[in-house]
Amino acid sequence: MRIAVPTNLTPESARPRGGRRVRLAGPTMGVTWALDALAPEGLDDGRIRAAVQSACDGVVGQMSDWEPESDLSQFNRAEAGTWVPAPADLIAVVDASLRLAGLSGGAFDPTIGALTGLWGFGPSGAVDGPPDAGALDAAPAGWRSVLLDPDGQRIFQPGGLQLDLSGIAKGFGVDKASAALTAMGVRDHLIEIGGELRGEGVKGSGEPWFVDVERPPGGEALTPLRIALHGLSVATSGDWRRSFETGGRRYSHTIDPRTRAPAQGVAAVTVIHPSCMWADALCTALTVLGEEAGAFAEAYDVAALVVRREGEGFHEAVTPALRAMLA
């Protein structure tokens, strides 16, 4: 067992806390959110639940391509050559997506909605096999064509562009829910949305929030990794979670924008970061980068575990930033 500990965990920050233990859950983004927290005695479960659900519902209302009336869906339907109104959170997430697109050489691209749909991982539903090459080539995509006007709160639709924020919005939702909890006095909490987690403060005993990283099926020989979340977030992507197989080949939901096809080779990526939004997005980028993932993570000081498929087995790489956290 390997244990990753944040460098800012001090005896003072890990002192035992008081408060009422709360465990709550609810639906969001096609998955669930789950909360484990210490709440002030005068704060009832209903207010806590409402705060988390409101944060999640806000993200869905702005960024879901599965909701026809979301702000993102309205942008995707907009006429060519128009500026489309967009709320501040959507602008911020698209802006972060474009920044990562530039840093990663397009390995992360928020404009792959049409490609995601063709491969059967979008709102249009599953497909029986790989799409026609001509349809893939014709699908509008390209992060450089997105124009943002943050002051005017609008995004330019060049024509047919389909934004897909599934590789970053869930992590942003975790951050929003965590911020809402902290603002209402729930300083010590572990919040999860569909496997993306953030831990603030500590448990009542003074221990940080420990979480175990999921290993890919068949990867039982890989050394387990446990992470102490204290002011940190963790996201894990896996090629087995949403995929289909045909012709003896697995096609994962993570699309490589450069090849317009599902990424190949990487079985799982785990990223630890102060921001769950960035942990989520970096997981996607590193999955797509494949053999280049280690160099990218080292260059940008990303704490990550990258598990690649090698024949019938696996090979894992621990980045220097993660290695520095291992106790």
Side-chain angles (χ1 to χ4, degrees):
M1 172 70 73
R2 294 169 294 186
I3 299 178
V5 179
T7 56
N8 64 342
L9 187 61
T10 64
E12 171 59 21
S13 65
R15 71 187 187 281
R17 312 279 198 187
R20 182 176 61 87
R21 193 70 176 267
V22 174
R23 291 183 175 89
L24 300 171
T28 187
M29 306 183 202
V31 289
T32 59
W33 61 262
L35 172 68
D36 191 351
L38 292 174
E41 294 292 343
L43 188 62
D44 65 75
D45 287 4
R47 288 181 59 196
I48 298 171
R49 181 187 298 277
V52 175
Q53 194 67 57
S54 177
C56 293
D57 291 349
V59 174
V60 171
Q62 292 190 30
M63 304 176 203
S64 173
D65 56 355
W66 293 75
E67 293 293 331
E69 298 309 312
S70 72
D71 294 286
L72 182 142
S73 293
Q74 293 182 54
F75 170 85
N76 288 347
R77 292 195 303 266
E79 295 182 3
T82 59
W83 283 95
V84 183
D89 282 351
L90 178 57
I91 291 279
V93 172
V94 173
D95 181 59
S97 299
L98 296 176
R99 288 164 57 195
L100 184 54
L103 293 174
S104 65
F108 187 92
D109 188 336
T111 69
I112 61 169
L115 296 172
T116 303
L118 287 171
W119 281 100
F121 299 114
S124 55
V127 296
D128 295 329
D132 177 74
L136 288 174
D137 289 340
W143 63 273
R144 290 184 176 86
S145 62
V146 178
L147 300 178
L148 294 179
D149 178 11
D151 293 335
Q153 289 200 326
R154 56 183 188 164
I155 309 174
F156 184 73
Q157 171 60 273
L161 204 65
Q162 303 288 296
L163 290 177
D164 179 352
L165 301 177
S166 59
I168 189 171
K170 192 161 55 172
F172 181 79
V174 171
D175 289 336
K176 289 288 288 187
S178 177
L181 289 164
T182 300
M184 68 190 311
V186 185
R187 297 185 304 127
D188 302 294
H189 60 261
L190 177 69
I191 180 73
E192 173 192 8
I193 299 179
E196 323 290 29
L197 302 101
R198 177 170 183 79
E200 282 289 348
V202 293
K203 297 180 182 179
S205 62
E207 290 186 0
W209 303 100
F210 283 105
V211 298
D212 292 337
V213 172
E214 185 180 7
R215 290 173 291 182
E220 290 76 13
L222 294 170
T223 305
L225 174 63
R226 178 169 294 170
I227 302 169
L229 293 183
H230 175 75
L232 288 176
S233 301
V234 61
T236 297
S237 64
D239 68 354
W240 68 91
R241 289 180 172 169
R242 290 182 62 203
S243 64
F244 66 87
E245 292 191 22
T246 183
R249 183 175 179 181
R250 175 191 287 111
Y251 294 92
S252 169
H253 71 283
T254 302
I255 305 299
D256 185 339
R258 304 166 302 178
T259 64
R260 298 187 162 231
Q264 297 289 324
V266 173
V269 174
T270 295
V271 172
I272 306 170
H273 196 279
S275 159
C276 199
M277 178 189 74
W278 281 103
D280 192 6
L282 285 164
C283 270
T284 301
L286 294 176
T287 297
V288 171
L289 284 168
E291 293 183 355
E292 306 168 55
F296 178 90
E298 186 169 353
Y300 292 101
D301 199 31
V302 177
L305 174 66
V306 181
V307 181
R308 291 183 51 81
R309 295 187 182 275
E310 286 193 350
E312 297 300 314
F314 300 94
H315 174 270
E316 64 174 21
V318 178
T319 67
L322 176 55
R323 192 174 297 115
M325 294 176 63
L326 296 179

